[in-house]
Amino acid sequence: MTHVTKDILYIGVNDHDLDLFEGQYIVPLGMAYNSYIILDDKIAVMDTVDRHFGSQWLANLEASLSGRTPDYLVVQHMEPDHSANISLFMQKYPAAVIVASSKAFTMMKNFYGDEYADRRIVAAEGTELSLGTHCLKFIGAPMVHWPEVLMTYDITDKVLFSADAFGKFGALDTEDPEGWACEARRYYFGIVGKYGAQAQAVLKKAAALDIQVICPLHGPVLNENLSYYLDLYNTWTTYGVETDGVAVFYTSVYGNTEKAVHLLEEKLKEKGCPKVAVSDLARDDMAECVEDAFRYGKVVLATTTYNADIFPFMRTFLMTLTEHGWRGRKVGLIENGSWAPTAAKVMKGILENCKDTSFAETQVKILSALTDENLSQIDALADEMLK
Ligand code: FEO
């Protein structure tokens, strides 16, 4: 339990046993499910935690109450990593009332069989809740990350409870050697990335507020240099280019496509490319690859023709990008095929509906192993990507 401000305490938990967050994301640094308590004339608890940590969370909560009982449970987001202990809380504190959006109560019934019709306050954009000294104002944040989401602004302490926004992978008792941005970016593009427009709309509302502290549902409380985090979120939610350079994603069966990729990497570096990020889609973390595709403005895709289509890891990667609203990038293509190469055509076909995406004219076409002509194509592709 730590103080966020004099009256706001952190009562969340760390998870080091989770194999995959939301059934798909590796979390080598663990995961934090954040919850907070605001102590005032009335006491508000901000969200619960994952189902495996109900007892620990209730113990944290009890320890912060000094014998009092909570008046409100604010449910900002109904995804079970935050909502799983609502029933436990409501049983333990029978006088407490839930504050949530109308959509959240519908989800509550669907998930947990109760919508607490006689123990609730339905909140929406602009609803205010006074706790005594503290006044909470709710901000609609649909699709960041689900449609029912509300964020909460504590007008008194100037604290924004931001739900999933500004969250990251990683437990809070484990130092992240890469700092905040890497796992926050992987989290954002994996989980919220498709809804950039909605996230941008919330950022615009937030810009009108005087925010001193951001309390997300995952990752650390942010209480200094907030413009750094807000600027990154502004870039991410508008699909802007964060890092100057080229990201190269490949699959390779016998090593020939991989060889082409490394030759391209060398050429790009020789020609002054500030950063070349190369990922093997069969071996590297897919979510890390997805965040890199959003991070850089220029992307090269290299794969083999496979079953008259493309290699499965590349297909998964491209489908994930299109599902997440990937756009606004320059794309170079390298294909390999021993008898009927179609990979470049298939990749282009998958990406052609991505907004504002352009393709390099030079395509590298490998017919099994590299030829001198391929070397010239790689050189020309490097020039074009750096234009
Ligand atoms: Fe952390 Fe969308 O739940």
Side-chain angles (χ1 to χ4, degrees), residues 263-326:
L263 287 170
L264 176 71
E265 181 184 13
E266 278 169 30
K267 282 282 170 202
L268 286 166
K269 284 180 180 164
E270 260 172 47
K271 291 172 191 285
C273 186
K275 176 105 173 93
V276 187
V278 177
S279 304
D280 175 349
L281 293 170
R283 293 176 179 81
D284 294 331
D285 173 47
M286 188 60 76
E288 189 89 35
C289 296
V290 168
E291 64 153 298
D292 267 355
F294 282 95
R295 180 176 183 173
Y296 294 88
K298 296 169 182 180
V299 163
V300 174
L301 305 167
T303 196
T304 43
T305 304
Y306 195 80
N307 288 333
D309 199 87
I310 50 177
F311 208 62
F313 298 102
M314 179 60 84
R315 175 161 276 281
T316 301
F317 178 60
L318 297 186
M319 296 314 292
T320 307
L321 292 186
T322 58
E323 280 163 17
H324 283 67
W326 193 66

Side-chain angles (χ1 to χ4, degrees), residues 251-252 255-263 301-305 333-344 363-375 377-378:
T251 65
S252 188
N256 293 304
T257 313
E258 184 177 41
K259 198 168 168 189
V261 162
H262 289 307
L263 287 170
L301 305 167
T303 196
T304 43
T305 304
L333 299 172
I334 299 175
E335 68 173 353
N336 197 342
S338 294
W339 60 93
T342 54
Q363 277 184 15
V364 181
K365 184 192 282 282
I366 306 164
L367 298 168
S368 301
L370 289 168
T371 61
D372 288 345
E373 191 187 349
N374 291 146
L375 301 186
Q377 290 168 342
I378 288 168

Side-chain angles (χ1 to χ4, degrees), residues 21-22 77 79 81-82 145-146 164 187 191 217-218:
F21 181 69
E22 291 188 2
H77 182 17
E79 201 169 7
D81 51 332
H82 312 293
H145 141 230
W146 279 9
D164 275 341
Y187 175 88
I191 288 165
L217 286 176
H218 303 287

Side-chain angles (χ1 to χ4, degrees), residues 264 268 271 330 378-387:
L264 176 71
L268 286 166
K271 291 172 191 285
K330 179 170 182 178
I378 288 168
D379 191 62
L381 179 62
D383 283 335
E384 228 187 300
M385 293 309 291
L386 292 176
K387 243 187 234 164

